[in-house]
Amino acid sequence: MDIFDLRWDIVWNYRDMFIRGIGVTLILTLSGYFGGILLGLFLGLGKLSSKKWIYWPSKLYIDLFRGTPMLVQILLIHLAVIPTIFGHSLGYMVSGITALILNCAAYNAEIFRAGIQSIAKGQMEAARSLGLTHNQAMRKVILPQAFRRMIPPLGNEFIALLKDSSLVTVIAAPDILYASKVVAGASFRFWEPYIVAALLYLVLTYGVTKIVAYIEKRFSNSYVPRKAEGREAR
């Protein structure tokens, strides 16, 4: 097939499938990411714990999911873990979201751990001297400061998860990549559908990049609202 003889009308005829694919991709990514944020926070705190019965399970979990391919995790969860627990498959959405949450949590845990450890120990000591408990100091003093430093890596993890969500196509999740595969199989043309898939992922990741950049700027120490800038100018 000549690369200069592209037929975009073929892709246009399957536009509803691509639109649905965008929705499925976003649902999988957002669910996996925010679930991974919550679980990752507990795992990150667990890896910082001085109690061995908390530290070691957290460390083993993180090492396991960071050290094995996500594709293998998705297949194991969809074909083995969930059917073994429930007696049958719960569908691509449950399996996909579960796999993305479990994988994302391992990476977010390391981000939280590194962010918390980057805060000077004197901050915790000062908070404790004011009468705060360890949990209160962590929630009100340490985490707010660490969050500013964690925004860039957390944003990068979201972008990585958005692209890695394409792996759920192996369990027939109708995401963007699945739509491209269907179009390619039906038309025996490969340039058009996969170029469209690449462009859609590029647009989504670019949008996320701009949002992360805004949030990073908004929470930076040097941020000055526009109204304040105007008052200073006067």
Short mmCIF file of all heavy atoms in Angstrom, two decimals, residues 144-171:
data_model
loop_
_atom_site.label_atom_id
_atom_site.label_comp_id
_atom_site.label_asym_id
_atom_site.label_seq_id
_atom_site.Cartn_x
_atom_site.Cartn_y
_atom_site.Cartn_z
N PRO A 144 1.52 17.93 52.70
CA PRO A 144 1.31 19.13 51.86
C PRO A 144 2.60 19.66 51.23
O PRO A 144 2.60 20.10 50.08
CB PRO A 144 0.73 20.15 52.86
CG PRO A 144 0.06 19.31 53.89
CD PRO A 144 0.94 18.11 54.04
N GLN A 145 3.71 19.60 51.96
CA GLN A 145 4.98 20.04 51.40
C GLN A 145 5.49 19.06 50.34
O GLN A 145 6.01 19.46 49.29
CB GLN A 145 6.03 20.18 52.50
CG GLN A 145 5.72 21.27 53.52
CD GLN A 145 6.83 21.39 54.55
OE1 GLN A 145 7.91 21.88 54.27
NE2 GLN A 145 6.55 20.95 55.77
N ALA A 146 5.35 17.77 50.65
CA ALA A 146 5.84 16.75 49.72
C ALA A 146 5.02 16.73 48.43
O ALA A 146 5.55 16.43 47.36
CB ALA A 146 5.79 15.37 50.39
N PHE A 147 3.74 17.08 48.53
CA PHE A 147 2.86 17.03 47.36
C PHE A 147 3.38 17.91 46.24
O PHE A 147 3.33 17.54 45.06
CB PHE A 147 1.44 17.44 47.75
CG PHE A 147 0.49 17.48 46.58
CD1 PHE A 147 0.04 16.31 45.99
CD2 PHE A 147 0.06 18.70 46.06
CE1 PHE A 147 -0.82 16.35 44.91
CE2 PHE A 147 -0.81 18.75 44.99
CZ PHE A 147 -1.24 17.58 44.41
N ARG A 148 3.88 19.10 46.59
CA ARG A 148 4.41 20.00 45.56
C ARG A 148 5.55 19.36 44.79
O ARG A 148 5.67 19.54 43.58
CB ARG A 148 4.88 21.30 46.20
CG ARG A 148 3.77 22.12 46.83
CD ARG A 148 4.29 23.45 47.34
NE ARG A 148 3.22 24.28 47.89
CZ ARG A 148 3.38 25.52 48.29
NH1 ARG A 148 4.58 26.09 48.19
NH2 ARG A 148 2.37 26.21 48.77
N ARG A 149 6.37 18.61 45.47
CA ARG A 149 7.51 17.96 44.81
C ARG A 149 7.08 16.72 44.04
O ARG A 149 7.81 16.26 43.16
CB ARG A 149 8.56 17.59 45.86
CG ARG A 149 9.06 18.79 46.66
CD ARG A 149 10.14 18.40 47.64
NE ARG A 149 10.57 19.55 48.43
CZ ARG A 149 11.56 19.53 49.31
NH1 ARG A 149 12.23 18.40 49.51
NH2 ARG A 149 11.88 20.62 49.98
N MET A 150 5.93 16.16 44.39
CA MET A 150 5.47 14.94 43.75
C MET A 150 4.63 15.19 42.51
O MET A 150 4.35 14.25 41.76
CB MET A 150 4.67 14.09 44.75
CG MET A 150 5.49 13.53 45.89
SD MET A 150 4.57 12.37 46.92
CE MET A 150 3.40 13.48 47.74
N ILE A 151 4.23 16.43 42.27
CA ILE A 151 3.35 16.71 41.13
C ILE A 151 3.97 16.28 39.80
O ILE A 151 3.31 15.58 39.00
CB ILE A 151 2.96 18.20 41.10
CG1 ILE A 151 2.03 18.52 42.27
CG2 ILE A 151 2.27 18.55 39.78
CD1 ILE A 151 1.68 20.00 42.38
N PRO A 152 5.22 16.65 39.48
CA PRO A 152 5.79 16.22 38.19
C PRO A 152 5.85 14.71 38.00
O PRO A 152 5.38 14.20 36.97
CB PRO A 152 7.18 16.86 38.19
CG PRO A 152 7.05 18.03 39.11
CD PRO A 152 6.12 17.58 40.18
N PRO A 153 6.40 13.93 38.97
CA PRO A 153 6.42 12.48 38.76
C PRO A 153 5.03 11.85 38.74
O PRO A 153 4.80 10.88 38.02
CB PRO A 153 7.25 11.95 39.94
CG PRO A 153 7.24 13.03 40.96
CD PRO A 153 7.14 14.31 40.20
N LEU A 154 4.09 12.39 39.53
CA LEU A 154 2.72 11.87 39.49
C LEU A 154 2.08 12.15 38.13
O LEU A 154 1.34 11.32 37.60
CB LEU A 154 1.88 12.48 40.60
CG LEU A 154 2.16 11.99 42.02
CD1 LEU A 154 1.34 12.78 43.04
CD2 LEU A 154 1.86 10.49 42.16
N GLY A 155 2.38 13.32 37.57
CA GLY A 155 1.89 13.63 36.23
C GLY A 155 2.49 12.71 35.19
O GLY A 155 1.79 12.25 34.27
N ASN A 156 3.78 12.43 35.30
CA ASN A 156 4.42 11.51 34.37
C ASN A 156 3.84 10.11 34.48
O ASN A 156 3.70 9.40 33.47
CB ASN A 156 5.93 11.46 34.64
CG ASN A 156 6.63 12.75 34.26
OD1 ASN A 156 6.14 13.50 33.42
ND2 ASN A 156 7.77 13.01 34.87
N GLU A 157 3.49 9.70 35.69
CA GLU A 157 2.90 8.39 35.88
C GLU A 157 1.52 8.32 35.22
O GLU A 157 1.15 7.29 34.64
CB GLU A 157 2.79 8.07 37.37
CG GLU A 157 2.05 6.78 37.70
CD GLU A 157 2.68 5.54 37.08
OE1 GLU A 157 3.88 5.58 36.77
OE2 GLU A 157 1.95 4.55 36.89
N PHE A 158 0.76 9.41 35.28
CA PHE A 158 -0.55 9.44 34.62
C PHE A 158 -0.39 9.28 33.11
O PHE A 158 -1.13 8.53 32.47
CB PHE A 158 -1.28 10.74 34.94
CG PHE A 158 -2.69 10.78 34.40
CD1 PHE A 158 -3.75 10.35 35.17
CD2 PHE A 158 -2.94 11.24 33.11
CE1 PHE A 158 -5.05 10.38 34.67
CE2 PHE A 158 -4.23 11.27 32.61
CZ PHE A 158 -5.29 10.83 33.40
N ILE A 159 0.58 10.00 32.55
CA ILE A 159 0.82 9.91 31.10
C ILE A 159 1.26 8.49 30.72
O ILE A 159 0.80 7.93 29.72
CB ILE A 159 1.88 10.94 30.68
CG1 ILE A 159 1.32 12.35 30.86
CG2 ILE A 159 2.32 10.72 29.24
CD1 ILE A 159 2.34 13.45 30.66
N ALA A 160 2.14 7.91 31.52
CA ALA A 160 2.60 6.55 31.25
C ALA A 160 1.44 5.56 31.33
O ALA A 160 1.32 4.65 30.50
CB ALA A 160 3.70 6.16 32.23
N LEU A 161 0.56 5.76 32.32
CA LEU A 161 -0.58 4.85 32.47
C LEU A 161 -1.55 5.02 31.32
O LEU A 161 -2.15 4.03 30.86
CB LEU A 161 -1.28 5.12 33.80
CG LEU A 161 -2.35 4.10 34.20
CD1 LEU A 161 -1.69 2.76 34.53
CD2 LEU A 161 -3.15 4.60 35.41
N LEU A 162 -1.73 6.24 30.85
CA LEU A 162 -2.61 6.48 29.70
C LEU A 162 -2.15 5.69 28.49
O LEU A 162 -2.97 5.07 27.79
CB LEU A 162 -2.64 7.98 29.39
CG LEU A 162 -3.42 8.43 28.15
CD1 LEU A 162 -4.88 8.04 28.26
CD2 LEU A 162 -3.28 9.93 27.95
N LYS A 163 -0.87 5.69 28.24
CA LYS A 163 -0.34 4.93 27.10
C LYS A 163 -0.36 3.42 27.38
O LYS A 163 -0.68 2.63 26.49
CB LYS A 163 1.08 5.40 26.79
CG LYS A 163 1.13 6.83 26.25
CD LYS A 163 2.52 7.27 25.89
CE LYS A 163 3.40 7.45 27.11
NZ LYS A 163 4.75 7.97 26.75
N ASP A 164 -0.02 3.04 28.61
CA ASP A 164 -0.01 1.61 28.94
C ASP A 164 -1.41 1.00 28.98
O ASP A 164 -1.54 -0.23 28.88
CB ASP A 164 0.66 1.40 30.30
CG ASP A 164 2.16 1.63 30.25
OD1 ASP A 164 2.72 1.64 29.13
OD2 ASP A 164 2.78 1.81 31.32
N SER A 165 -2.43 1.84 29.11
CA SER A 165 -3.80 1.31 29.11
C SER A 165 -4.13 0.63 27.79
O SER A 165 -5.08 -0.16 27.72
CB SER A 165 -4.80 2.44 29.38
OG SER A 165 -4.86 3.35 28.29
N SER A 166 -3.36 0.91 26.75
CA SER A 166 -3.59 0.27 25.46
C SER A 166 -3.37 -1.24 25.53
O SER A 166 -3.86 -1.99 24.67
CB SER A 166 -2.68 0.86 24.39
OG SER A 166 -1.31 0.66 24.71
N LEU A 167 -2.66 -1.71 26.57
CA LEU A 167 -2.41 -3.14 26.72
C LEU A 167 -3.68 -3.92 27.01
O LEU A 167 -3.70 -5.14 26.79
CB LEU A 167 -1.38 -3.37 27.83
CG LEU A 167 0.04 -2.83 27.57
CD1 LEU A 167 0.90 -3.00 28.81
CD2 LEU A 167 0.67 -3.54 26.38
N VAL A 168 -4.72 -3.26 27.51
CA VAL A 168 -5.95 -3.99 27.82
C VAL A 168 -6.65 -4.49 26.56
O VAL A 168 -7.63 -5.23 26.65
CB VAL A 168 -6.93 -3.12 28.65
CG1 VAL A 168 -6.31 -2.70 29.97
CG2 VAL A 168 -7.37 -1.89 27.85
N THR A 169 -6.15 -4.07 25.41
CA THR A 169 -6.74 -4.58 24.16
C THR A 169 -6.58 -6.09 24.05
O THR A 169 -7.32 -6.74 23.31
CB THR A 169 -6.09 -3.88 22.95
OG1 THR A 169 -6.85 -4.17 21.77
CG2 THR A 169 -4.67 -4.36 22.74
N VAL A 170 -5.61 -6.68 24.79
CA VAL A 170 -5.41 -8.14 24.73
C VAL A 170 -6.56 -8.89 25.37
O VAL A 170 -6.72 -10.09 25.12
CB VAL A 170 -4.08 -8.55 25.40
CG1 VAL A 170 -2.91 -7.89 24.71
CG2 VAL A 170 -4.08 -8.24 26.89
N ILE A 171 -7.37 -8.23 26.21
CA ILE A 171 -8.54 -8.88 26.80
C ILE A 171 -9.81 -8.34 26.17
O ILE A 171 -10.88 -8.36 26.77
CB ILE A 171 -8.57 -8.71 28.33
CG1 ILE A 171 -8.56 -7.23 28.74
CG2 ILE A 171 -7.39 -9.43 28.97
CD1 ILE A 171 -8.73 -7.02 30.25
#
